[in-house]
């Protein structure tokens, strides 16, 4: 009887410990870099110094395609967006972005910036924590995120890149 009890206890322990998952928490960044091309659609006869040129461009980034995130996809338990910041690159010294809205598909505008020049450092807008939760929910459920940028510039043609960065806290389980 003692032997059966000992074997049962060992078997039970093996089952319990082999079925336990360990949880790992990691911090990483999802970057969505949206290239923007502003075309000059006006004739030379109607151009003026105070003219603005509109643009709108979007890009979808998949978690599976992102080098920082693809290793976490299979064992993802939770995903939170901790922070958000934006960098603008490719703006020439005589160019500026008059205004720009950054939107997330399914949420709407999350940040607006004005008077962005080539010398501007990365921008870190204050975003309500409930918006960050919504972004995290979209990322977890859809495994992708679509970023839309739209606004106006002071000149055209013009090419620049809107680099958005989402700082993520990811919890994974390992079998």
């Amino acid at each position: 009887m003692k032997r059966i009890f000992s074997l049962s206890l060992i078997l039970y322990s093996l089952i319990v410990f082999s079925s336990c998952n360990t949880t790992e928490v990691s911090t990483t960044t999802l970057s969505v870099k949206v290239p923007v091309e502003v075309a000059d659609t006006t004739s030379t006869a109607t151009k003026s110094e105070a003219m603005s040129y509109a643009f709108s461009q979007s890009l979808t980034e998949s978690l599976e395609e992102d080098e920082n995130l693809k290793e976490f996809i299979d064992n993802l338990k939770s995903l939170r967006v901790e922070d958000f910041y934006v960098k603008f690159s490719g703006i020439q010294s005589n160019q500026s972005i008059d205004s720009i809205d950054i939107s997330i598909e399914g949420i709407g505008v999350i940040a607006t910036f004005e008077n962005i020049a080539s010398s501007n450092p990365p921008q870190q807008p204050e975003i309500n924590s409930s918006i960050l939760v919504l972004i995290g929910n979209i990322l977890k459920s859809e495994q992708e995120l679509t970023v839309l940028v739209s606004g106006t510039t002071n000149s055209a043609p013009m090419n620049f890149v809107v680099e958005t960065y989402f700082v993520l806290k990811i919890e994974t389980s390992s079998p």
Side-chain angles (χ1 to χ4, degrees), residues 25-103:
V25 177
S26 303
T27 300
T28 189
T29 303
L30 171 68
S31 66
V32 182
K33 298 178 181 179
V34 184
V36 177
E37 183 177 337
V38 183
D40 185 357
T41 58
T42 60
S43 68
T44 50
T46 60
K47 284 187 181 180
S48 71
E49 286 293 316
M51 185 153 210
S52 291
Y53 301 89
F55 64 87
S56 180
Q57 186 65 47
S58 66
L59 185 74
T60 300
E61 182 69 30
S62 168
L63 295 183
E64 293 174 349
E65 294 173 2
D66 188 279
E67 290 298 319
N68 293 331
L69 295 166
K70 66 182 178 182
E71 68 183 88
F72 300 111
I73 299 298
D74 293 334
N75 301 316
L76 188 64
K77 282 178 69 176
S78 71
L79 183 148
R80 282 194 338 249
V81 179
E82 298 281 307
D83 208 353
F84 169 74
Y85 61 97
V86 181
K87 181 180 171 188
F88 301 93
S89 61
I91 301 171
Q92 304 301 311
S93 60
N94 62 338
Q95 299 173 328
S96 69
I97 300 170
D98 296 333
S99 68
I100 184 169
D101 289 331
I102 298 176
S103 305

Side-chain angles (χ1 to χ4, degrees), residues 108-129:
V109 176
I110 63 167
T112 299
F113 301 99
E114 293 182 348
N115 302 318
I116 302 297
S118 62
S119 60
N120 283 98
Q123 306 286 318
Q124 191 170 15
E126 282 192 36
I127 296 180
N128 187 304
S129 62

